Amino acid sequence: MLGRTAAGLFWLARHLERAGNTSRLAEAGFRMALTRADSDTEEWQSVVTTAGCKKAYLEKHETIRSDKILDFILRDKDNPNSVLCAFHTARENARMTRTALTREVWEAINEAWMSVRDALRRPVPERDLPEILSLVRRQGAQVSGAVTGTMLRNDIYNFMQIGTLVERADNTSRILDAKYYVLLPSSASIGSSLDNVQWEMILRSASAERSFYWLNGGRASPPAIADFLIFDARLPRSLAFCYDMITEYLGRLAVEYGESTPAHELATRQENRLTDLNIALVFEEGLHEFLTSFMAQNAAFSAQIETDYRFNE
């Protein structure tokens, strides 16, 4: 496969995953803001920070406002991480790699782009926000279903899955990191009812709320939630699941291409670290420090796979 084709597939998957993740963040921010009796600035600041675009937002807007942030992360064409831009970039990557995709996948992506574009032509009123965010996730799920149901399990499929998982791992780690360093500016809030609500919203933004309570019988605590999102390999959005599957898809690429690459070593190292640690050791080290290290290594892996498989050629 040409490197630029592999790059198109990898980034097609990453941008589709990013759009869904951003919609979940927007929903979590909206729901958390409803729990505030006074200012909801911290919640919306956490959303734009987790989405990785706080600096860009503040360059365009002077204050943290819910309506401005929603418009920025959902439909602002100047924000490459907005839902609208993510779908557009995914569609452009799909168009460039059209011959590598099945007809069903191409049609699902094209329909998703047109539906989201039409829904986001105008600023989203607060009353319509849940419906619009549901549409975004539904369109992404239809693309995912088409990929799963119609694509050959070859290098094309493997690059797409790796892209999805790299983006998902980055998002989950950002969600957890934002909890302590944006949502709780004061240690006095730890253990409060507000703290508990925020942790529940973290689960919701990772699409993990129902699974967590099903496994834990309604008992929630910050260590239990962090442990679930980091180490439980049964959860499709946990860090452990993402790297278990990344190493599996890389193994398939190694068999198909007849060699392993430095990216395989980085992924295995990341997977082994997640296997060797537990939540007690993470909290002893510092959750922020652990997550910062994880995000840096995840980014390094993404850069390495681009180098190994010549994405720029």
Side-chain angles (χ1 to χ4, degrees), residues 190-203:
I190 296 176
S192 67
S193 58
L194 173 61
D195 185 36
N196 295 332
V197 168
Q198 288 173 346
W199 274 105
E200 290 178 4
M201 291 306 146
I202 294 302
L203 284 172

Side-chain angles (χ1 to χ4, degrees), residues 119-171:
L120 296 177
R121 285 191 185 278
R122 299 177 182 83
V124 180
E126 190 173 287
R127 67 178 182 277
D128 296 335
L129 184 61
E131 181 182 349
I132 297 297
L133 297 179
S134 177
L135 169 70
V136 170
R137 293 193 296 273
R138 190 164 61 248
Q139 292 296 330
Q142 288 175 0
V143 176
S144 179
V147 170
T148 301
T150 68
M151 296 286 290
L152 287 173
R153 271 35 176 188
N154 56 9
D155 53 350
I156 296 171
Y157 182 83
N158 294 332
F159 279 119
M160 293 182 73
Q161 295 303 308
I162 292 170
T164 296
L165 292 161
V166 167
E167 186 68 29
R168 186 175 295 173
D170 180 74
N171 182 71

Side-chain angles (χ1 to χ4, degrees), residues 51-164:
C53 53
K54 180 181 177 181
K55 181 180 178 181
Y57 171 83
L58 291 176
E59 288 174 353
K60 190 168 184 176
H61 304 284
E62 295 181 354
T63 59
I64 300 292
R65 285 179 44 185
S66 59
D67 58 335
K68 297 295 185 183
I69 287 179
L70 280 172
D71 199 65
F72 190 71
I73 66 173
L74 292 180
R75 58 184 297 274
D76 195 318
K77 295 180 180 179
D78 294 329
N79 175 18
N81 291 322
S82 71
V83 168
L84 186 64
C85 286
F87 268 100
H88 178 263
T89 304
R91 183 185 181 277
E92 288 302 297
N93 278 299
R95 186 176 59 80
M96 290 187 293
T97 58
R98 175 69 183 86
T99 57
L101 304 173
T102 61
R103 177 175 58 84
E104 289 85 354
V105 171
W106 164 251
E107 290 178 350
I109 292 171
N110 204 40
E111 179 183 339
W113 155 242
M114 291 188 293
S115 297
V116 171
R117 178 197 60 190
D118 292 344
L120 296 177
R121 285 191 185 278
R122 299 177 182 83
V124 180
E126 190 173 287
R127 67 178 182 277
D128 296 335
L129 184 61
E131 181 182 349
I132 297 297
L133 297 179
S134 177
L135 169 70
V136 170
R137 293 193 296 273
R138 190 164 61 248
Q139 292 296 330
Q142 288 175 0
V143 176
S144 179
V147 170
T148 301
T150 68
M151 296 286 290
L152 287 173
R153 271 35 176 188
N154 56 9
D155 53 350
I156 296 171
Y157 182 83
N158 294 332
F159 279 119
M160 293 182 73
Q161 295 303 308
I162 292 170
T164 296

Side-chain angles (χ1 to χ4, degrees), residues 25-35 44 47 70 126 129-130:
L25 285 174
E27 181 180 28
F30 174 68
R31 290 179 179 274
M32 284 191 290
L34 295 177
T35 68
W44 287 112
V47 169
L70 280 172
E126 190 173 287
L129 184 61

Side-chain angles (χ1 to χ4, degrees), residues 199-219:
W199 274 105
E200 290 178 4
M201 291 306 146
I202 294 302
L203 284 172
R204 182 184 293 273
S205 64
S207 296
E209 183 183 30
R210 184 180 296 272
S211 298
F212 177 84
Y213 287 116
W214 186 78
L215 290 171
N216 292 275
R219 296 183 301 276

